[in-house]
Amino acid sequence: MRILGIETSCDETSVAVVEDGFRVFSCVIHSQAKLHEKTGGVVPEVAAREHVIAIIPVIQKALLDASVSLDQIDRIAVTKEPGLLPSLLIGLQTAKTLSLAKNIPVTEVHHTMGHIYSNWLERDPSEIQFPVMVLTVSGGHNDLILMKGHGDMELIGTTLDDAAGEAFDKVARLLGLGYPGGPAISEAAEKGRRDAYNFPRAWLSEPSYHGGWDGKVFNFSFSGLKTAVRKVIDENRLPDQNLCMGIKGIGDKFVADVAASFEEAVCDVLSKKLLSAAEMYRVKEIHLAGGVSANKRLRELVFERNNGGFVMRYPIQFQYCTDNGAMVASAAYFP
Ligand code: KG4
Ligand code: ZN
């Protein structure tokens, strides 16, 4: 089955053609990152207007790259929620219009489901063994999902406040590193010391004296960490510097140390919780998905701590970590 996947939930206009949930014929991503650099974050109205401009050319390119016409598409998949409403509407309306005009059925996909299926892209589906513990880490969501089979998922942890990606974006902004924050923080962190600042880790619970864990342990919280970083920056800024504008010029070493220590705090929590959950639920595989799964340090820590215990996977291509139409098409294929 050939599916046209449409993703417009935030600031990427992306369309892909995917066969049988894993064979990617094409995947076109029009990123709006440059557009949102000025504001250091996404303004929904601005994002939606850009989707309007980009959506038709992106669809045309995806079909061209895949060497298929709309008549050879069996189904259209589109992200329904969650996301920025004005952005989502552009994808949904386009999908429904094409459906009416060409008599192609539409499947509406939950965005997190899309990220979960990013690990199916370009892999033989029969290789993946259930149960799988999936860590989806993005700007808007941060979940631990136990996947017992297709359509058989259990949410076992979620963020109580900010998602990890959002924390990356906010800290990058405070450090004057630009948008999107994740890649910028990672780059700055390479020259910094991970132990320069002992930023707080929100474990949210201690192991009980019975040796087990209480139910809240797999939830996440990154707002306290964000505040701690802000405090350190505030203490080190020059008196006339406005924190809202970032602290460009304060010193590359300071920025690198804060970036590295912040990244370490986030990845420490994410990797430990993922592995604890994997052990507790006795899964066969662990999967990383979402924009933050592109993070090198996160992959490194999960790999080290896993020590070969579980089959570890992350999206085969970097472009499948962040928002893309291929994952949406894949999620619509599997029952
Ligand atoms: O999945 P995604 O494209 O969009 C949402 O669904 O939110 O994720 C975007 C998020 C942004 O917050 C971005 O800063 C983060 O993923 N990100 C990273 C990296 N690349 C993107 N965070 C850490 N390290 C990276 N290399
Ligand atoms: Zn996403």
Side-chain angles (χ1 to χ4, degrees):
M1 179 189 273
R2 229 171 265 149
I3 300 183
L4 184 83
I6 301 178
E7 158 61 42
T8 63
S9 69
C10 188
D11 61 341
E12 269 102 14
T13 317
S14 179
V15 178
V17 177
V18 179
E19 190 178 62
D20 294 344
F22 70 100
R23 257 179 243 113
V24 182
F25 286 178
S26 66
C27 181
V28 180
I29 302 173
H30 168 72
S31 168
Q32 304 179 0
K34 279 254 163 309
L35 188 67
H36 301 298
E37 244 173 26
K38 280 175 264 168
T39 42
V42 182
V43 177
E45 166 83 14
V46 175
R49 282 169 189 264
E50 185 65 14
H51 285 306
V52 172
I53 295 167
I55 190 77
I56 299 297
V58 169
I59 291 175
Q60 285 169 330
K61 181 156 185 355
L63 291 170
L64 197 72
D65 287 358
S67 303
V68 295
S69 70
L70 265 183
D71 297 322
Q72 294 165 294
I73 295 294
D74 303 304
R75 181 169 290 277
I76 297 169
V78 61
T79 305
K80 183 189 177 206
E81 60 178 355
L84 305 173
L85 194 61
S87 293
L88 287 164
L89 283 174
I90 309 303
L92 278 161
Q93 292 304 338
T94 307
K96 289 182 179 180
T97 307
L98 285 178
S99 164
L100 259 176
K102 290 293 202 177
N103 200 22
I104 308 170
V106 174
T107 302
E108 294 176 356
V109 172
H110 191 280
H111 187 69
T112 304
M113 281 296 163
H115 279 298
I116 289 173
Y117 279 98
S118 62
N119 274 302
W120 260 254
L121 299 171
E122 296 186 30
R123 285 197 168 105
D124 175 356
S126 67
E127 264 179 29
I128 299 176
Q129 300 289 303
F130 294 117
V132 179
M133 188 59 69
V134 195
L135 174 70
T136 58
V137 260
S138 281
H141 41 90
N142 199 147
D143 299 318
L144 264 176
I145 294 152
L146 174 64
M147 190 180 186
K148 294 175 240 174
H150 297 297
D152 189 1
M153 323 253 177
E154 194 184 322
L155 181 70
I156 66 153
T158 190
T159 180
L160 302 179
D161 39 57
D162 299 332
E166 190 188 326
F168 268 96
D169 292 338
K170 292 272 161 64
V171 168
R173 193 172 164 178
L174 287 173
L175 290 172
L177 291 174
Y179 176 86
I185 293 260
S186 281
E187 202 189 320
E190 275 179 25
K191 295 187 204 90
R193 289 172 300 140
R194 290 181 199 129
D195 58 356
Y197 298 93
N198 187 19
F199 287 131
R201 275 88 162 139
W203 300 114
L204 301 177
S205 166
E206 294 295 324
S208 79
Y209 57 83
H210 299 300
W213 299 85
D214 90 10
K216 282 180 283 179
V217 79
F218 298 124
N219 285 334
F220 301 92
S221 164
F222 294 106
S223 70
L225 169 62
K226 226 170 59 184
T227 309
V229 173
R230 194 186 173 95
K231 199 163 161 273
V232 164
I233 296 174
D234 208 14
E235 284 163 4
N236 286 275
R237 79 191 159 103
L238 302 173
D240 61 339
Q241 270 180 323
N242 177 356
L243 203 50
C244 299
M245 303 306 291
I247 54 154
K248 234 182 177 122
I250 197 168
D252 289 349
K253 190 178 172 312
F254 174 73
V255 170
D257 281 348
V258 172
S261 304
F262 161 78
E263 182 177 59
E264 191 66 6
V266 173
C267 298
D268 187 18
V269 171
L270 290 175
S271 58
K272 275 199 186 134
K273 293 207 176 208
L274 168 63
L275 285 160
S276 303
E279 273 160 29
M280 185 165 181
Y281 288 89
R282 298 169 194 274
V283 297
K284 296 210 170 98
E285 303 200 358
I286 50 175
H287 292 186
L288 303 178
V292 184
S293 72
N295 186 276
K296 221 172 100 196
R297 183 62 185 151
L298 176 64
R299 291 178 178 190
E300 225 170 62
L301 270 182
V302 173
F303 181 80
E304 276 169 22
R305 290 174 171 167
N306 179 35
N307 198 17
F310 304 101
V311 174
M312 175 187 168
R313 299 184 201 269
Y314 41 78
I316 272 185
Q317 291 195 39
F318 270 107
Q319 62 168 352
Y320 301 150
C321 294
T322 44
D323 294 345
N324 66 87
M327 67 184 196
V328 179
S330 177
Y333 173 78
F334 292 100

